[in-house]
């Protein structure tokens, strides 16, 4: 299986200059990922660790104050890899939504308030596909909406007439409209109740199955990852700290942070107290030296304080950035 | 005495323009009681009126009918007092909208500290703020000097919680306070709620979609559907033994954090507006056990074993 | 582009002084106020007589000769010209004259109702060309009601007006007694186009001077000075009256444009109007002759003229325009008196205020300004007038102090009661107009003298002045004389004590009356004038005028400054042989009624 | 100081500020004028710019430069009175109507609408005529201020209306902020760009109106302002007689003044909007 | 029905009140200015050479007051005025007596509408489109240049701008007339008529379009620069929606909304600019008519014009208020 989207040592930082002093927020700090065709790649992680930023960079949408400091985002098109961050403007425009689509986090105000949703859908169609295809694509979008529990009539409504949940669903339908090869979904279900959430996931899964494309899904809901993700990446402080097939990660989380994440999940019928990771998430402004998790890590080693652990494969497909793996698995 | 009592609360919204007007009963005869030192969960699908209920309690929205009693007195009496918001605080659902994009987030903290005389001087104020921020995994230097657009969603949400806790309120209305926070932090925050509740007697009206957490943290739960409370009772009973078909559907739909238990069956989702306007039981459209009466008649509340259910199915088994 | 495609070279296009016509479809100039200079008074109407101030003569129009009065001035006989017709072919006869007089005597809504009702006892005709008017009381100047100098009672076509209500009747199209008939007009009032009558030879103009040359005459109003200037530079406007600066601009930029005088100062300096400053003699302290004189002596006329008219107009020390005819009759004969005229400064001190050197000083200033000023003293007196009052601030100071005024430490004058003296001048709003120019200049002079002056241009000027609600204003200082002959009754009548109008009530007669001043000596002279035959006793009339002028000068109720000057310019691209200072065969204005008498002399340049 | 330094990095602010400072210096210079601005014939007339009279002299015998110092001073006074006073009214009315709603809103907006629908210019002319002598610089400013607030009050109100609905309003209330601090702290930052831009258009309008009134002769023509200066130059045909220095001076000063204000407002309102500021910083550096 | 009770009726009451107070103000103010239309006419007649004796003046004034409907107390005049308004007859113009005000309106209104309406709308369209595009591409060089040019043009007073155009295009390069529309009362509506009118209206219209457009341009540009930063624009732009669509349907449409309201109100503020233009180009319009009416104390004319304009503007605003929800779906009447 070859990667359709390849992120190589990506570094994108927010550069702020307030009254002359320069602040650098290292939101994505050397991330490398291979995302394969026909998979759902889940990303979970600490809030504020750079997931949204990573997705924006993958979408090729780097605008001030976010700036690109290194690394590449490669799309595979017709067997070749194109760097999304250095494509000419018209080219990247063309690719957006036809090749790669994006559902932003908190997508409440992404629709033109003065036109009906149908018009917004048509705008995307007009910009990307010739006239003949528009009808059928729109019909497909209506079908998607219906499977999300929205009648096709919502297209004749104005955005403000819909509740947040409805809007969120519509934005997913919009992202799938042009049958993109890659869909980047940033917390697409946060505003939804579990029933609607299930419908959204069903749709994403169905679309994925139908198009054989790739979905990158960011959510805090480990349940969702468990349900839908093929592989799972765990981010912490601007880095991927663990990556592997979902069952592997759930079954044997290697990184202490992942362990906390999984073990802290509550279950209905179980009221035992859950422990969460001690301490506070680090500030991306002033990262601690060495492993960023070391101040909170119960198993901290001396070298953790000085060296940044590399992301290395432990078992096939399961990689972790932690010196502990040598302690636990290195011998195994 | 109950801390907060909501009686027959109804809120009707009129939507649409001059030409096509529609009246939606966003909150429909809702009654609930929150005791002191209790975490009360309000769950339900999106758009069922949870936020609206909370806003009415805070006094930001006027009810069409119904009453809200706080410590035995109607809230209207409190609304004019500044100290009302020392007692009652809220965390809003959308963290991106919670703070003024043109103002630094820190200013809300400093203002609250100042307005509610939380500290004698700037230094102690800073300490108070720092303490609350720590509790949600932030720190003052981290928020200092930053505008909301410079935060991630989860950070804003946590900041919002910290701000609400600043005054040590007796009642906290938390509208999906942790939806954008990772599971680990989520736990530490709900643990915090639990702690506050147990040690300081703070009551929390916890509005959420996350039933697992709700189960974990809360004492009672009310499940809302299209403006109605369809089931209400102690959380173990309601979630452990759901009676209303909607509660059951909810529980079934929770994605298990276990990759080995992937579900295949599909859910049916109905259009919101259609359900709001439905005569009879609003869930009739997708209820697996729908009967004739459900389509025609509005169901009544039935008290079963400390649990209130609003379903025709249990009408005959009335206890009271 | 002219209306209906009429040929430009057969058309004379002239500027309309009073601006856009407010009642474009209404040609009834007997009722209310009409924009009569749209061609009505110049082309359509022939009066009985017209004043020609260029020559100082009276031109008989419909009348064939001057009016004939009986011995005691209770009867006036008018002889009409023969062979003249209205433009619809109906002959103009004594019936029309009688009808006009009778109608006005009866109808109170017509402006000339006043004099007709007051004097006429009966009007009748003796034959078709002779009308007789019997007067209720003696009036040696009754005919002046019919003597045209920018308005008079003109004869109506009886056959038209006898059938209609004369007040509401629109008179459209007008039936002309003059050589042109209406061709077309702008419903918005910007222009009126006239066409020469086929039977132009049946009009007094035709009979007196021959065929008017332009086949068409177009009167056009411009709302801005720039548009007017540009139109003339584009040869789309043949005759126009500009502002002084506008005239300089057209002369500079247009190579076919000429003015009344071919060399500096270009402007028409034979206009029968005098400009100046008016005091309200009923308001303290301007009710005091010595204050008025002090204020006069505080004026440095050289600076004043530089500000007011860039030194291009002739000054006048008397309340008369310094036109050639009056120079002969009044100014020169009075020079000695003026030179010896004395003001009493108190303590036996006397001061002779007249300064005959003023013209030379003005010439000097003009030369300094870079203008080509003639050297010849006579020519200088022609251009700059004969003399004016001395610039004597010290004398003014004495006069004021004598009357209890004081100067504060700041050098500013205080009224006798000790409060600061602030003169409020009600002025015209049009910056380029003579009144405001006078007001500006006098304000400057008095400020220099140490008085606070508030110049207050206001649209309500007319109403305020008529009602006497002002201290000082920039109104004409005296009623205009006739412009012909030595009869100054028109100038002085307004100051008869019987006409004094209290503040708050509008004055009835022309501008001078608003000064609200009277003098028993003048009353006596005016009474005498009434019984002096201006035709038979010309010298007596003139001497009475001189006496009256002396009284007015002594009292100085208003300050005359300089003779009105018209900044007219003519484009010689389509037409030539306009009258000029070198050939003053006619008065030069296109807005005066005499315009029709100029037209036969014009020559087309392109045909 | 820091803020100023930040602002000065925007060339528009820098230029606008410098323009304004220059104009202010000019206005200030009027106090040292060797000539009385009202008096005539102080210098030889119609001289082209030279070392002695750097902007030449006019047909009234005044030094155009020194006359301009008075004109700019007086026009600035008129414009600032009109601009600031009407801003204060507009902000107060807009905030009050928008935040309080109900009867206050109805009444205030009724008054504003009343002002808006009357042909304003006509009333201005009539009132100017009515005031006549009282049309001093200050009164002209007051008059313009009286008529200049209605539309902006409406705009501000509608912005407040929508801000009132936003959630951060409630956050602020929850933080114990009263109406005053709510309005000043939460809403004012949103409205400041609007207030600024309306201030600029209002000042532009006031200056334009003053010029119109002057051309119609409805202000006291002796008092030098940009408008009366222009009016004298127009009436004395400075344009066609080639005294360009006379007519161009007030025009250029007007343009400089308005350009300065425009740039200042654009730059300041961008500065006040952190999103834009961040964008600007990023753009400049890459 | 609630809409009628809670919104429509109060709004209509407000409408009526605004008209009522507006008209009352316009009735009172000119009567306070000290002009007396009767004296104004007397002064005119005097300069015309008529010698009126005091008795005659008195009687003439009486009869003029009678004719002009200025007899009686202020209250009586006020009542008469309302009667006149309801019978849609404003009486005769006082200064242009006896021309009825309604006739004057009939003559001048079409010209004003013709010039003013077209140029205002043109200015609005051009200014908004250019401003929108320039605001969208505000970083581009041409946009900055355009902005600078417009910034320099906008402060130029109408009068000066008009005269400059006149000198340029009616003198130095005389392709347009200097003024003086020569149609005549027998004007027939044909191609020649249209061409003539266009030729004569071009420069005045150009003045209004450029100066008016400049103001719209600046406003629109600011609006667009703000809207450009809204989420929905950013999202659509990131989503590869074509720039053309983005500008027209996203940015401009949203920015246009406030501009629409203002357009209606601009109608009320035009007289100044239009007056100046009418003066420079000798254009037959209401501006000058009104101005002369005001300065000459022609109460009836002033009344006629202002009533008309108050009525039109108020109605325009009312209609706009009612229709606004159609333009902006977010607005609800409340
Ligand atoms: N516009 C911005 N300017 C400055 N800093 C920013 C900006 N946007 C985000 N950040 C910072 O970058 C870091 C990463 O933010 P990002 O939104 O990518 O987090 P996230 O992982 O998506 O978090 P969440 O799960 O809470 O949405 C955070 O620390 C945040 O404070
Ligand atoms: N101001 C309003 N005007 C009109 N309708 C409204 C308004 N506020 C809420 N509604 C409607 O009322 C219903 C209940 O909304 P509410 O926000 O209370 O739902 P919720 O339970 O909080 O949903 P979610 O879980 O998505 O936050 C929705 O259908 C919503 O569209
Ligand atoms: Mg995020
Ligand atoms: Mg909600």
């Amino acid at each position: 299986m070859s990667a359709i989207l390849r992120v190589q040592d990506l570094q994108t930082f927010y550069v702020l200059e307030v009254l002359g002093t320069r602040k650098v927020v290292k939101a994505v700090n050397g991330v490398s990922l291979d995302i394969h065709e026909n998979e759902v790649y889940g990303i979970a992680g600490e809030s504020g660790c750079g997931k949204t930023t990573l997705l924006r960079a993958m979408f090729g949408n780097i605008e001030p104050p976010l700036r690109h400091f290194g690394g590449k985002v490669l799309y595979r098109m017709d067997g070749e890899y194109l760097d999304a961050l250095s494509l000419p403007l018209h080219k990247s425009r063309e690719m957006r939504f036809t090749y790669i689509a994006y559902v932003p986090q908190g997508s409440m105000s992404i629709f033109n308030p003065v036109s009906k949703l149908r018009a917004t859908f048509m705008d995307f169609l007009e910009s990307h596909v010739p006239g003949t295809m528009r009808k059928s694509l729109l019909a497909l979008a209506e079908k998607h909406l219906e499977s999300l529990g929205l009648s096709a009539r919502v297209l004749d409504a104005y955005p403000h007439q819909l509740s947040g949940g409805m809007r969120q669903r519509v934005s997913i339908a919009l992202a799938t409209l042009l049958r993109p090869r890659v869909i980047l979904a940033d917390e697409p279900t946060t505003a939804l109740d579990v029933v609607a959430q299930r419908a959204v996931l069903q749709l994403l899964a169905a679309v994925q199955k139908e198009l054989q494309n790739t979905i990158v899904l960011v959510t805090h809901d480990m349940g969702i990852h468990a349900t839908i993700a093929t592989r799972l990446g765990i981010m912490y402080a601007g880095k991927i700290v663990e990556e592997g097939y979902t069952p592997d990660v759930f079954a044997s989380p290697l990184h202490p942070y992942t362990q906390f994440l999984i073990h802290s999940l509550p279950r209905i019928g179980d009221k035992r107290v859950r422990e969460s990771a001690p301490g506070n998430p680090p500030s991306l402004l002033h990262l601690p030296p060495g492993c960023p998790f070391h101040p909170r890590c119960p198993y901290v080693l001396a070298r953790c304080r000085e060296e940044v652990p590399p992301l290395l494969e432990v078992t096939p497909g399961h990689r972790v950035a932690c010196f502990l793996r040598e302690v636990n698995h290195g011998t195994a | 005495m109950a801390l907060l009592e909501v009686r027959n609360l109804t809120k009707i919204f009129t939507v649409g323009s001059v030409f096509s007007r529609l009246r939606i009963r966003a909150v429909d005869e809702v009654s609930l009681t929150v005791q002191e030192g209790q975490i009360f969960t309000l769950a339900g699908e999106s758009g069922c009126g949870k936020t609206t209920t909370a806003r009415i309690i805070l006094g930001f929205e006027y009810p069409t009918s119904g009453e809200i009693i706080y410590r035995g007195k109607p809230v209207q009496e409190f609304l004019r007092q500044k100290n009302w918001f020392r007692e009652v605080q809220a965390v809003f659902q959308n963290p991106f909208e919670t703070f003024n994009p043109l103002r630094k987030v820190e200013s809300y903290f400093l203002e609250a500290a100042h307005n509610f005389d939380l500290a004698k001087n700037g230094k102690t104020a800073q300490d108070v703020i720092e303490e609350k921020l720590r509790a949600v995994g932030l720190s003052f230097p981290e928020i200092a000097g930053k505008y909301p657009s410079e935060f991630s969603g989860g950070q804003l949400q946590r900041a919002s919680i910290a701000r609400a806790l600043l005054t040590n309120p007796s009642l906290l209305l938390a509208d999906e306070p942790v939806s954008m926070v990772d599971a680990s932090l989520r736990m530490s925050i709900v643990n915090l709620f639990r702690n506050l509740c147990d040690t300081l007697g703070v009551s929390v009206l916890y509005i959420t979609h996350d039933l697992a957490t709700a189960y974990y943290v809360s004492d009672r739960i009310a499940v809302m559907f299209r403006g109605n409370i369809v089931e209400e009772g102690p959380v173990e009973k309601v979630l452990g033994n759901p009676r209303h078909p909607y509660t059951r559907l909810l529980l079934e739909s929770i994605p298990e954090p276990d990759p080995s238990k992937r579900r295949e069956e599909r859910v049916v989702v109905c259009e919101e507006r259609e359900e709001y306007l439905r005569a009879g039981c609003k869930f009739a459209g997708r209820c697996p056990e729908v009967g004739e009466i459900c389509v025609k008649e509005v169901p009544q509340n039935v008290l079963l074993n400390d649990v209130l259910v609003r379903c025709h199915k249990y009408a005959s088994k009335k206890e009271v | 582009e002219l209306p209906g495609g009429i040929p430009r070279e057969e058309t004379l296009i002239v500027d309309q002084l009073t601006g856009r016509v407010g009642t474009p479809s209404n040609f009834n100039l007997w009722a209310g106020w009409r924009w009569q200079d749209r061609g009505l008074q110049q082309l359509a109407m022939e009066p009985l007589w017209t004043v020609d101030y260029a020559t100082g003569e009276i031109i008989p129009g419909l009348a064939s000769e001057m009016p004939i009065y009986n011995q005691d001035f209770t009867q006036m006989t008018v002889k009409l010209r023969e062979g003249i017709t209205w433009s619809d072919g109906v002959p103009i006869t004594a019936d029309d004259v009688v009808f006009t007089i009778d109608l006005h005597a009866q109808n109170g809504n017509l402006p000339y109702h006043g004099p007709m009702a007051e004097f006429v006892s009966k009007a009748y005709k003796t034959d078709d060309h002779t009308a007789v008017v019997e007067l209720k009381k003696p009036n040696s100047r009754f005919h002046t009601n019919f003597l045209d100098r920018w308005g008079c009672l003109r004869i109506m076509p009886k056959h038209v007006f006898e059938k209609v209500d004369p007040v509401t009747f629109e008179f459209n199209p007008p039936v002309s007694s003059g050589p042109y008939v209406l061709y077309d007009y702008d419903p918005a009032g910007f222009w009126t186009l006239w066409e020469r009558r086929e039977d132009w030879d049946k009009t007094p103009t035709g009979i007196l001077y021959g065929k008017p040359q332009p086949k068409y005459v177009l009167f056009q109003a411009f709302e801005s000075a720039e548009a007017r200037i540009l139109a003339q530079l584009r040869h789309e406007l043949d005759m126009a009256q500009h502002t002084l600066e506008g005239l300089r601009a057209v002369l500079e930029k247009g190579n076919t444009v000429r003015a009344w005088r071919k060399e500096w100062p270009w402007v028409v300096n034979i206009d029968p109007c005098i400009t100046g400053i008016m005091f309200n003699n009923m308001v303290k302290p301007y009710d005091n002759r010595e204050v008025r004189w002090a204020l006069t002596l505080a004026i440095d006329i050289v600076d004043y003229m530089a500000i007011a008219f860039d030194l291009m107009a002739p000054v006048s020390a008397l309340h008369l325009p310094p036109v050639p005819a009056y120079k002969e009759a009044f100014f020169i004969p009075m020079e000695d008196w003026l030179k010896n005229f004395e003001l009493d400064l108190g303590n036996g001190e006397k001061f002779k205020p007249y300064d005959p050197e003023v013209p030379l000083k003005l010439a000097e200033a003009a030369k300094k300004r870079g203008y080509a000023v003639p050297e010849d003293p006579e020519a200088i007196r022609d251009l700059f007038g004969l003399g004016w009052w001395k610039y004597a601030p010290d004398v003014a100071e004495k006069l004021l102090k004598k009357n209890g005024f004081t100067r504060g430490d700041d050098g500013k004058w205080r009224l006798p009661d000790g409060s600061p003296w602030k003169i409020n001048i009600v002025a015209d709003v049009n910056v380029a107009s003579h009144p405001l120019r006078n007001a500006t200049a006098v304000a400057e002079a008095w400020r220099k003298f140490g008085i606070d002056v508030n110049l207050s241009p206001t649209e309500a000027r007319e109403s305020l002045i008529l009602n006497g609600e002002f201290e000082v204003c920039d109104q004409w200082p005296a009623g205009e004389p006739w412009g012909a002959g030595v009869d100054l009754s028109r100038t002085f009548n307004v100051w008869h004590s019987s006409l004094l109008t209290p503040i708050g009530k509008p004055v009835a007669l022309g501008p001078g009356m608003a000064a609200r001043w009277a003098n028993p000596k003048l009353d006596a002279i005016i009474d005498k004038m009434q019984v002096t035959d201006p035709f038979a006793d010309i010298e007596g009339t003139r001497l009475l005028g001189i006496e009256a002028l002396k009284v007015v000068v002594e009292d100085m109720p208003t300050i005359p400054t300089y003779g009105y000057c018209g900044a007219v310019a003519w484009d010689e691209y389509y037409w030539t042989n306009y009258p000029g200072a070198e050939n003053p065969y006619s008065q030069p204005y296109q807005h005066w009624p005499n315009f029709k008498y100029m037209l036969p002399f014009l020559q087309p340049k392109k045909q | 100081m820091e803020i100023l330094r930040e602002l000065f990095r925007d060339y528009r602010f820098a230029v606008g500020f410098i323009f304004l400072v220059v104009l202010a210096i000019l206005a200030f210079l009027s106090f040292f004028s060797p000539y009385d601005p009202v008096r005539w014939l102080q210098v030889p007339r119609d001289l082209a710019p030279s070392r002695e009279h750097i902007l030449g002299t006019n047909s009234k015998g005044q030094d155009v430069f020194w006359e301009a110092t008075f004109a700019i001073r007086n026009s600035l006074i008129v414009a600032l009175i009109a601009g600031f006073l009407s801003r204060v009214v507009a902000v107060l009315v807009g905030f009050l109507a928008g935040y309080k709603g109900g009867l206050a809103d109805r009444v205030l907006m009724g008054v504003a609408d009343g002002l808006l629908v009357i042909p304003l210019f006509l009333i201005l002319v009539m009132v100017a005529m009515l005031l006549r002598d009282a049309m001093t610089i200050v009164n002209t400013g007051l008059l313009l201020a009286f008529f200049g607030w209605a539309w902006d009050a409406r705009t501000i109100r509608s912005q407040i209306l929508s801000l009132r609905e936003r959630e951060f309003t409630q956050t602020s209330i929850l933080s114990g902020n009263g109406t005053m601090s709510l309005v000043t702290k939460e809403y004012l930052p949103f409205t400041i760009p609007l207030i600024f831009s309306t201030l600029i258009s209002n000042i532009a309008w006031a200056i334009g109106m003053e010029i119109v009134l002057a051309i119609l002769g409805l202000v006291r023509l002796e008092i030098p302002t940009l408008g009366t200066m222009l009016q004298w130059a127009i009436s004395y045909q400075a344009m066609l007689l080639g005294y360009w220095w006379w007519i161009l001076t007030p025009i250029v000063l007007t343009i400089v003044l308005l350009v300065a204000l425009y740039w200042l407002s654009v730059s300041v309102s961008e500065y006040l909007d952190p999103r834009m500021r961040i964008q600007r910083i990023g753009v400049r550096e890459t | 029905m609630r809409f009628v009770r809670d919104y429509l009726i109060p709004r209509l009451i407000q409408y009526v009140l605004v008209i009522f107070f507006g008209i009352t103000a316009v009735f009172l103010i000119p009567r306070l200015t000290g002009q007396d239309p009767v004296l104004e006419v007397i002064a005119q007649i005097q300069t015309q050479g008529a010698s009126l004796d005091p008795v005659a003046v008195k009687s003439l004034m009486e009869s003029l007051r009678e004719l002009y409907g200025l007899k009686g107390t202020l209250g009586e005049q006020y009542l008469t005025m309302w009667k006149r308004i309801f019978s849609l007859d404003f009486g005769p113009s006082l200064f242009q007596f006896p021309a009825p005000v309604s006739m004057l309106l009939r003559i001048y209104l079409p010209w004003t509408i013709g010039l003013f309406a077209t140029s205002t709308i043109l200015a609005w369209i051009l200014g908004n489109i250019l401003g929108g595009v320039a605001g969208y591409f505000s970083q581009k060089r041409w946009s900055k240049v355009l902005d600078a040019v417009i910034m320099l043009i906008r402060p130029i007073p109408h009068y000066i701008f008009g005269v400059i155009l006149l000198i340029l295009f009616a003198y130095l390069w005389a392709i347009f007339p200097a003024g003086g529309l020569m149609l005549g009362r027998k004007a027939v509506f044909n191609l020649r008529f249209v061409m003539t009118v266009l030729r004569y209206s071009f420069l005045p219209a150009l003045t209004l379009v450029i100066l008016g457009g400049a103001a719209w341009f600046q406003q629109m540009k600011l609006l667009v620069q703000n809207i450009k930063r809204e989420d929905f624009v950013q999202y659509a732009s990131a989503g590869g929606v074509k720039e053309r669509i983005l500008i027209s349907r996203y940015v401009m449409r949203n920015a246009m909304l406030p501009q629409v309201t203002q357009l209606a109100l601009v109608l009320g503020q035009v007289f100044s600019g239009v007056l100046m233009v009418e003066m420079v180009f000798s254009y037959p319009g209401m501006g000058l008519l009104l101005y002369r009416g005001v300065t000459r104390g022609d109460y009836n004319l002033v009344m006629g014009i202002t009533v008309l304009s108050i009525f039109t503007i108020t109605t325009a605003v009312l209609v706009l208020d009612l229709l606004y929800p159609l333009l902006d779906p977010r607005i609800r009447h409340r």
Side-chain angles (χ1 to χ4, degrees), chain B residues 29-264:
Chain B
E29 298 286 324
V30 163
S31 301
L32 52 88
T33 306
V34 180
Q35 300 294 340
E36 221 156 311
Q38 194 177 52
I39 297 186
F40 190 105
T41 296
L42 198 55
E45 47 154 11
S46 19
C48 67
K50 305 184 294 293
T51 301
T52 309
T53 308
R55 286 170 53 87
I56 295 174
I57 295 171
L58 285 168
F60 293 147
E61 195 97 61
Y62 297 99
T64 310
S65 67
E67 282 183 287
I68 293 158
I69 311 289
Y70 182 78
R71 291 194 196 276
K73 287 192 220 151
V75 279
Q76 282 87 322
E77 287 185 22
F78 296 94
L79 282 183
R80 288 184 199 290
Q81 301 169 9
K82 194 174 169 187
N83 275 350
W84 171 241
F85 290 121
R86 189 199 282 277
E87 295 253 331
V88 177
Q89 275 291 340
V91 177
F92 295 117
Q93 181 172 10
N94 185 349
F96 295 106
E97 264 284 298
T98 300
F99 297 102
N100 187 335
L102 300 185
R103 296 187 69 203
K104 292 177 185 149
V105 170
E106 66 186 25
S107 57
Y108 289 93
F109 288 83
L110 300 173
E111 278 166 21
H114 171 78
N115 289 332
F116 295 115
D117 300 324
L118 299 181
K120 293 198 181 56
N121 56 45
K123 185 72 200 75
T124 42
Q126 196 110 347
D127 292 344
V128 173
I129 296 168
E130 181 70 23
E131 177 202 329
K132 304 293 176 191
L133 285 171
R134 290 252 161 228
V136 295
L138 289 169
S139 66
F140 194 76
E142 219 171 326
I143 66 161
K146 291 214 257 174
Y147 290 93
S149 62
E150 298 169 36
F151 288 85
S152 78
Q155 286 171 326
L156 285 174
Q157 224 162 26
R158 286 180 277 145
S160 174
I161 295 168
R163 191 209 56 77
L165 293 179
L166 220 48
T167 61
N168 295 321
S170 314
L171 175 63
L172 179 69
L173 304 176
D175 194 351
E176 307 201 14
V178 287
S179 61
M180 295 189 189
V181 172
D182 66 299
S184 155
L185 251 179
R186 196 177 282 197
M187 270 310 119
S188 61
I189 290 173
V190 295
N191 283 341
L192 172 71
F193 286 170
R194 192 68 255 172
N195 258 339
L196 290 174
C197 204
D198 295 343
T199 58
L200 298 173
V202 175
S203 305
V204 181
L205 183 65
Y206 179 51
I207 300 175
T208 188
H209 293 303
D210 182 355
L211 294 179
T213 320
Y215 183 89
Y216 170 77
V217 73
S218 56
D219 303 306
R220 286 180 82 83
I221 185 167
V223 178
M224 276 183 85
F225 180 74
R226 300 291 178 235
N228 298 120
I229 290 185
V230 293
E231 190 163 355
E232 196 257 355
V235 66
E236 294 87 356
K237 287 187 186 163
V238 174
L239 295 184
N241 176 24
R243 296 174 202 231
H244 196 282
Y246 177 67
T247 317
R248 254 180 258 156
L249 175 68
L250 271 186
L251 281 169
E252 276 165 26
S253 306
I254 297 175
E256 277 287 306
D258 187 348
S260 56
K261 295 190 197 159
R262 291 201 174 176
R263 270 183 322 253
E264 285 310 316

Side-chain angles (χ1 to χ4, degrees), chain A residues 14 47-53 105 187 220, chain B residues 149-150 152-155:
Chain A
Y14 291 98
S47 110
C49 67
K51 302 180 295 294
T52 300
T53 315
Q105 183 177 17
E187 308 201 21
H220 292 297
Chain B
S149 62
E150 298 169 36
S152 78
Q155 286 171 326

